[in-house]
Amino acid sequence: MFSRIREDVASVFDRDPAARSALEVLTCYPGFHALLIHRFSHRLWGGGLHWLARFVSHLARWLTGVEIHPGATIGRRVFIDHGMGVVIGETAEIGDDCTLYHGVTLGGTSWNKGKRHPTLGRGVIVGAGAKILGPIAVGDGAKVGSNAVVVKDVPPGATAVGIPAKIMEDRQEQVREAQAARPGFSAYGLTSREDDPVAQAIRGLTEHTAELEQRLAELAVQLERLQSADAEAERAVVERFDPTRVRKIAEK
């Protein structure tokens, strides 16, 4: 028990530069308190004392602002930063060394019995306000951006962002193809396959700006050609009618 507490305190120091002392962590970190109480309520749940386990978790929610169902499985060195508004469902599983920020929800998408909440691998980081819903898997070392809504599996090491969340690594090839197909810079890596109206508006403005820049460049080239042609024509006229002036211009 005490070894687990020491691990938890050490994980806070590793991931929160605001932590100044072990006493501060033990007394002032609601995420730490929520996990500590959850271990007790989880044992009660496993022992068949379901009502008592739920009552203990309810007290923990009231004290910390973190709601963890006693049936949830949570690994070692998990860190819940700030904690307020975190909700972890009954069949959720969280691997070792994960980090959850405030407002995170590990929720279900159905009322059916059985596995209905997500599974997080080792070392997963979930940003503030993110929602991971359903019996999906988030692979080891993956990251979920703030306020993302994840409803599909996230591969190990990947980063999921947006509503609904998209895997950034899977979009890189699409971005390269889109940029090769049109001039200019594609702001924020937007492609024609995006379904976000804000992203479509930004992409449209970017494409319009790139088109204007290309047309301005073409006009500049044409103007330079016209100026060169006018200079040659003027020189030819002067040379024909006033050779002396041409020599003076050449001497200058």
Side-chain angles (χ1 to χ4, degrees):
M1 176 181 175
F2 290 105
S3 63
R4 292 288 298 271
I5 293 176
R6 284 194 293 268
E7 280 186 351
D8 291 338
V9 173
S11 69
V12 173
F13 280 108
D14 289 340
R15 284 172 262 179
D16 186 4
R20 292 176 174 82
S21 67
L23 179 62
E24 181 182 5
V25 174
L26 291 170
T27 57
C28 303
Y29 275 69
F32 170 80
H33 301 151
L35 291 172
L36 195 64
I37 299 173
H38 169 72
R39 293 195 190 113
F40 177 62
S41 66
H42 185 67
R43 289 183 180 180
L44 294 175
W45 184 267
L49 302 174
H50 293 171
W51 178 87
L52 184 58
R54 288 299 303 271
F55 183 73
V56 171
S57 67
H58 179 70
L59 292 178
R61 176 180 180 272
W62 180 69
L63 291 170
T64 67
V66 180
E67 182 174 346
I68 308 176
H69 193 284
T73 303
I74 300 179
R76 303 173 73 98
R77 299 175 299 280
V78 172
F79 176 42
I80 301 178
D81 198 5
H82 300 293
M84 182 62 69
V86 170
V87 177
I88 300 174
E90 176 187 3
T91 60
E93 300 176 45
I94 302 176
D96 297 341
D97 302 302
C98 289
T99 302
L100 278 62
Y101 290 89
H102 53 281
V104 167
T105 298
L106 306 182
T109 55
S110 72
W111 293 341
N112 299 326
K113 298 290 185 180
K115 178 67 173 173
R116 59 189 185 278
H117 297 96
T119 298
L120 275 56
R122 295 174 58 94
V124 174
I125 299 175
V126 185
K131 309 292 183 279
I132 306 177
L133 307 176
I136 61 176
V138 180
D140 294 348
K143 298 179 179 63
V144 178
S146 297
N147 297 316
V149 178
V150 183
V151 293
K152 295 182 180 179
D153 291 348
V154 178
T159 299
V161 296
I163 305 175
K166 296 179 176 59
I167 308 304
M168 293 182 65
E169 283 74 7
D170 290 349
R171 295 169 54 198
Q172 291 179 353
E173 187 62 30
Q174 298 177 12
V175 172
R176 285 193 290 269
E177 293 175 358
Q179 290 179 347
R182 63 174 184 270
F185 171 69
S186 181
Y188 310 109
L190 302 175
T191 72
S192 58
R193 303 180 189 183
E194 293 287 346
D195 55 1
D196 184 354
V198 176
Q200 291 179 356
I202 296 174
R203 186 182 64 250
L205 290 173
T206 303
E207 292 176 350
H208 183 62
T209 301
E211 183 180 355
L212 289 177
E213 291 177 351
Q214 185 180 24
R215 294 182 64 182
L216 285 173
E218 293 173 354
L219 289 174
V221 171
Q222 293 178 4
L223 181 60
E224 185 177 352
R225 290 175 180 174
L226 288 174
Q227 290 175 343
S228 178
D230 290 343
E232 289 295 331
E234 182 180 0
R235 182 181 181 86
V237 171
V238 171
E239 185 176 11
R240 181 176 180 182
F241 295 101
D242 192 353
T244 303
R245 185 179 175 187
V246 170
R247 285 196 295 273
K248 290 180 179 179
I249 294 175
E251 291 175 356
K252 292 181 180 180

